[in-house]
Amino acid sequence: MKQFLFLDAAQTCQNKKILLQKKKYKDQIISHYHITEQHQKELKHSQGDYFTIKFTEDVLNSKSNLLEKELEKVIQSFLKKYHKTKPILIVGLGNSEILVDSLGSNVTGQMIASNQYNDFLTIPKVALLNPEVIGKTGISSFKLIRFVVQDLKPDLMIIIDSLATSDLTSLNRVIEINDTGIIPGSALRTNKEITKKTFGIPILSIGVPFLYKNENNLFESIYLKKDMEKISNIIANSLNQSILF
């Protein structure tokens, strides 16, 4: 099972102090939550900052530029805090051959890699990695990422992965960005968390819920293919603009 959307837990939390800011802007609801150590157990999410952007079908289909701008603002706020001068490693988790699990590879496939260029270019260094699942490579994603981090020595890692949700209104309609990392589910056959604690560098995580869980059943949207294409394009454009331009 994929990691669950943070918003699922936040909506049921009794402590309203975790919500620092919430604003509605042109059919988008942008929320900023801050989780302290005391809230971790209740929410089953690590301490740190969580931003969620919930949007309507109309925004996705007709006003995607507005969604990109909001996402860029959030990404840039994290970059100012964590990125210095070393490369940024962007990792697309999941299985590229399974549509509902392919957000990571769909995003990185539209991004610009710049780490290979010589020093005469002043643009930030960006490296891209799609470790796939252990069933395809024989090596856990955690180990493959660790090998690259040890060689590249980035000062920031950005993880992109599909999520799950128990709220049908969030399916294909929320982008979550946090600085707590991620704990891959059974689809990656590893319980090792990808966090600052395990890698020694800041980790940003960007996810979208493409799976809906109702009791013991899992469902996908009938618009999965169309929405996956549009949302992955929005995330890729926002990352490219925030980092390179």
Side-chain angles (χ1 to χ4, degrees):
M1 168 56 69
K2 284 295 186 182
Q3 182 164 302
F4 272 85
L5 180 71
F6 170 77
L7 197 58
D8 290 5
Q11 289 172 340
T12 61
C13 181
Q14 299 301 312
N15 191 329
K16 303 304 180 183
K17 291 182 179 180
I18 66 170
L19 179 60
L20 299 185
Q21 186 179 33
K22 184 175 183 178
K23 63 177 182 178
K24 188 171 183 180
Y25 173 72
K26 296 185 178 179
D27 295 325
Q28 300 176 79
I29 300 175
I30 302 98
S31 303
H32 177 195
Y33 298 87
H34 180 72
I35 306 306
T36 62
E37 188 175 358
Q38 71 179 97
H39 301 128
Q40 287 187 106
K41 189 174 182 180
E42 177 189 356
L43 294 167
K44 296 181 180 178
H45 281 75
S46 301
Q47 61 181 346
D49 287 288
Y50 295 78
F51 286 83
T52 60
I53 304 175
K54 193 165 188 175
F55 49 89
T56 63
E57 181 180 0
D58 181 56
V59 169
L60 182 62
N61 293 325
S62 306
K63 306 170 186 175
S64 60
N65 61 314
L66 299 177
L67 186 53
E68 280 184 24
K69 288 179 181 178
E70 289 301 323
L71 184 55
E72 282 176 33
K73 290 178 185 177
V74 177
I75 293 171
Q76 287 169 358
S77 70
F78 279 123
L79 291 177
K80 288 178 182 178
K81 184 177 180 180
Y82 295 119
H83 177 51
K84 307 303 178 185
T85 58
K86 293 182 179 179
I88 295 175
L89 174 62
I90 299 179
V91 180
L93 291 179
N95 189 334
S96 60
E97 295 181 359
I98 299 176
L99 183 58
V100 75
D101 197 27
S102 64
L103 177 66
S105 59
N106 277 319
V107 171
T108 56
Q110 302 177 71
M111 292 201 61
I112 300 171
S114 57
N115 188 61
Q116 72 274 28
Y117 297 124
N118 294 326
D119 292 338
F120 66 87
L121 287 178
T122 58
I123 60 174
K125 301 290 188 179
V126 175
L128 308 174
L129 174 66
N130 295 317
E132 289 289 351
V133 291
I134 194 170
K136 295 176 68 174
T137 65
I139 308 172
S140 74
S141 297
F142 183 91
K143 288 184 178 179
L144 286 171
I145 296 169
R146 185 175 62 188
F147 294 152
V148 174
V149 168
Q150 289 173 346
D151 180 73
L152 187 66
K153 295 179 176 57
D155 63 14
L156 175 66
M157 188 194 313
I158 301 176
I159 300 285
I160 302 158
D161 197 12
S162 301
L163 303 173
T165 182
S166 56
D167 180 355
L168 189 57
T169 67
S170 293
L171 187 65
N172 300 16
R173 293 294 178 265
V174 178
I175 298 175
E176 176 186 309
I177 315 97
N178 65 59
D179 60 357
T180 68
I182 193 169
I183 303 175
S186 58
L188 291 169
R189 298 185 187 180
T190 175
N191 292 321
K192 290 188 176 181
E193 60 183 29
I194 301 173
T195 63
K196 183 177 181 180
K197 181 180 178 181
T198 55
F199 280 90
I201 57 174
I203 310 285
L204 299 187
S205 178
I206 301 176
V208 178
F210 287 111
L211 269 179
Y212 168 60
K213 185 178 182 182
N214 182 10
E215 296 180 352
N216 293 320
N217 299 310
L218 296 173
F219 301 93
E220 303 169 3
S221 168
I222 60 173
Y223 303 109
L224 174 61
K225 184 176 181 180
K226 174 175 67 72
D227 289 352
M228 175 69 76
E229 181 179 345
K230 291 182 178 179
I231 293 171
S232 59
N233 181 259
I234 287 168
I235 295 174
N237 287 344
S238 297
L239 283 168
N240 282 328
Q241 288 293 329
S242 298
I243 299 171
L244 296 174
F245 303 107

